[in-house]
Coordinates of all heavy atoms in Angstrom, one line a residue:
A615 N 137.7 67.1 135.7 CA 138.5 66.0 136.1 C 139.0 65.1 135.0 O 140.1 64.5 135.0 CB 137.8 65.1 137.2
E616 N 138.1 64.9 133.9 CA 138.5 64.1 132.8 C 139.6 64.7 132.0 O 140.3 64.0 131.2 CB 137.3 63.9 131.9 CG 136.2 63.0 132.5 CD 135.0 62.8 131.5 OE1 135.2 63.2 130.3 OE2 134.0 62.2 131.9
D617 N 139.7 66.0 132.1 CA 140.8 66.8 131.4 C 140.7 66.5 129.9 O 141.7 66.3 129.2 CB 142.2 66.4 131.9 CG 143.3 67.4 131.5 OD1 142.9 68.5 131.2 OD2 144.4 67.0 131.4
G618 N 139.5 66.6 129.4 CA 139.3 66.4 127.9 C 139.0 67.7 127.3 O 139.5 68.8 127.6
R619 N 138.1 67.7 126.3 CA 137.8 68.8 125.5 C 137.1 70.0 126.3 O 137.5 71.1 126.2 CB 136.8 68.5 124.3 CG 136.5 69.6 123.4 CD 135.9 69.1 122.1 NE 136.8 68.2 121.5 CZ 136.6 67.7 120.2 NH1 135.6 68.0 119.5 NH2 137.5 66.8 119.7
Y620 N 136.2 69.6 127.2 CA 135.6 70.6 128.0 C 136.6 71.3 128.9 O 136.6 72.6 129.0 CB 134.5 70.0 129.0 CG 133.8 71.0 129.9 CD1 132.8 71.7 129.4 CD2 134.3 71.2 131.2 CE1 132.1 72.6 130.2 CE2 133.6 72.1 132.0 CZ 132.6 72.8 131.5 OH 131.9 73.7 132.4
A621 N 137.6 70.6 129.5 CA 138.6 71.2 130.3 C 139.5 72.1 129.4 O 139.9 73.2 129.9 CB 139.5 70.1 130.9
Q622 N 139.7 71.7 128.2 CA 140.5 72.6 127.3 C 139.8 73.9 127.1 O 140.3 75.0 127.1 CB 140.8 71.9 126.0 CG 141.7 70.7 126.1 CD 141.9 70.0 124.8 OE1 141.4 70.4 123.8 NE2 142.6 68.8 124.9
M623 N 138.5 73.8 126.8 CA 137.6 75.0 126.6 C 137.6 75.9 127.8 O 137.7 77.1 127.7 CB 136.2 74.6 126.2 CG 136.1 73.9 124.9 SD 134.4 73.1 124.6 CE 133.4 74.5 124.7
W624 N 137.5 75.2 129.0 CA 137.5 76.0 130.2 C 138.8 76.8 130.4 O 138.8 78.0 130.8 CB 137.2 75.1 131.4 CG 137.2 75.7 132.7 CD1 138.3 75.8 133.6 CD2 136.2 76.4 133.3 NE1 138.0 76.5 134.7 CE2 136.6 76.9 134.6 CE3 134.9 76.7 132.9 CZ2 135.9 77.7 135.4 CZ3 134.1 77.5 133.8 CH2 134.6 77.9 135.0
R625 N 139.9 76.1 130.2 CA 141.2 76.8 130.4 C 141.4 77.9 129.4 O 141.9 79.0 129.7 CB 142.3 75.7 130.3 CG 142.4 74.8 131.5 CD 143.7 74.0 131.5 NE 143.8 73.1 130.4 CZ 143.4 71.8 130.5 NH1 142.9 71.4 131.6 NH2 143.5 71.0 129.4
R626 N 141.0 77.7 128.1 CA 141.1 78.7 127.1 C 140.3 79.9 127.4 O 140.8 81.0 127.3 CB 140.7 78.1 125.8 CG 141.0 79.1 124.6 CD 141.0 78.3 123.3 NE 139.7 77.6 123.1 CZ 139.6 76.3 123.0 NH1 140.7 75.5 123.2 NH2 138.5 75.7 122.8
Q627 N 139.1 79.7 127.9 CA 138.3 80.9 128.2 C 138.8 81.6 129.5 O 138.8 82.8 129.5 CB 136.8 80.5 128.5 CG 136.1 80.1 127.3 CD 134.6 80.0 127.5 OE1 134.1 80.4 128.5 NE2 133.9 79.5 126.5
A628 N 139.3 80.9 130.4 CA 139.9 81.5 131.6 C 141.2 82.3 131.2 O 141.4 83.4 131.7 CB 140.3 80.4 132.6
T629 N 142.0 81.8 130.3 CA 143.2 82.5 129.8 C 142.7 83.8 129.1 O 143.3 84.8 129.3 CB 144.0 81.6 128.9 OG1 144.4 80.4 129.6 CG2 145.2 82.4 128.4
D630 N 141.7 83.7 128.2 CA 141.2 84.8 127.5 C 140.7 85.9 128.5 O 141.0 87.1 128.3 CB 140.1 84.4 126.5 CG 140.6 83.6 125.4 OD1 141.9 83.6 125.2 OD2 139.8 82.9 124.7

Side-chain angles (χ1 to χ4, degrees):
E616 288 183 10
D617 197 23
R619 184 164 303 187
Y620 180 84
Q622 294 175 5
M623 294 169 59
W624 176 264
R625 288 193 293 269
R626 185 163 55 248
Q627 287 194 10
T629 301
D630 292 343

